[in-house]
Amino acid sequence: MAKNMEHQFSMLIREIRKEYVGNGPKEITTKFIDSWAVTEMKGNLTNVEKFMITSNHGEEMVHETRTRFVKEIYKKPEVLLRFENLMGAKVLRLFSDINIKEDIAMTVFVFDQPIEGTGN
């Protein structure tokens, strides 16, 4: 069951990213650990962002903008509700960052209870 839920969680992230950013990551992997959902995403940057990072301070600007924007998306009540409905648990907090050079992002969702099927 956990593998199926991990896949569903990853697909929900892809759907939300496409909806709000315009494109989703090329690869998404989610692992559940107790009350955490840890998601790694590869291939996040748009063509415009890839162009921007070649300029002076471009990498810093893209990192700051993307990190702030993603956190704002996940603060939206309608977005949180989609995760909470899927997981049957309330999102307490989230941590998100992206490595621009490697084009890898990580997001950790912390829920109010252990995720069923994690074995913890």
Side-chain angles (χ1 to χ4, degrees), residues 5-6 23-25 27 32 38 52 55 62 72 75 79 84 89 92 100 103 105 107-108 110 112 114 117:
M5 284 298 291
E6 289 169 349
N23 71 320
E27 295 178 39
F32 297 145
V38 180
M52 287 175 62
S55 68
V62 170
E72 289 300 316
K75 285 181 184 177
V79 172
E84 292 173 352
L92 295 179
I100 298 298
D103 195 2
T107 302
V108 178
V110 181
D112 68 344

Side-chain angles (χ1 to χ4, degrees), residues 2-50:
K3 287 289 180 205
N4 184 41
M5 284 298 291
E6 289 169 349
H7 178 73
Q8 288 181 45
F9 196 89
S10 293
M11 291 304 98
L12 179 56
I13 287 179
R14 182 182 309 282
E15 183 180 307
I16 289 168
R17 294 280 180 119
K18 279 186 177 181
E19 190 175 319
Y20 287 91
V21 182
N23 71 320
K26 290 182 179 34
E27 295 178 39
I28 304 175
T29 305
T30 299
K31 298 289 182 208
F32 297 145
I33 305 162
D34 195 33
S35 61
W36 296 1
V38 180
T39 303
E40 177 186 57
M41 294 154 281
K42 297 178 181 178
N44 300 279
L45 299 176
T46 65
N47 288 336
V48 171
E49 289 170 325
K50 288 176 186 177

Side-chain angles (χ1 to χ4, degrees), residues 62-74:
V62 170
H63 181 272
E64 176 67 25
T65 302
R66 186 168 263 274
T67 302
R68 186 175 301 165
F69 184 58
V70 165
K71 287 179 181 178
E72 289 300 316
I73 291 168
Y74 291 134

Side-chain angles (χ1 to χ4, degrees), residues 51-110:
F51 175 75
M52 287 175 62
I53 64 175
T54 63
S55 68
N56 288 342
H57 306 290
E59 197 173 308
E60 184 180 313
M61 285 186 332
V62 170
H63 181 272
E64 176 67 25
T65 302
R66 186 168 263 274
T67 302
R68 186 175 301 165
F69 184 58
V70 165
K71 287 179 181 178
E72 289 300 316
I73 291 168
Y74 291 134
K75 285 181 184 177
K76 295 178 181 295
E78 64 273 17
V79 172
L80 287 174
L81 190 59
R82 290 163 77 177
F83 287 105
E84 292 173 352
N85 286 340
L86 175 65
M87 303 309 296
K90 183 173 174 46
V91 177
L92 295 179
R93 64 190 62 86
L94 120 127
F95 303 91
S96 185
D97 199 7
I98 186 168
N99 179 314
I100 298 298
K101 285 182 180 163
E102 294 183 41
D103 195 2
I104 297 174
M106 297 288 293
T107 302
V108 178
F109 295 80
V110 181

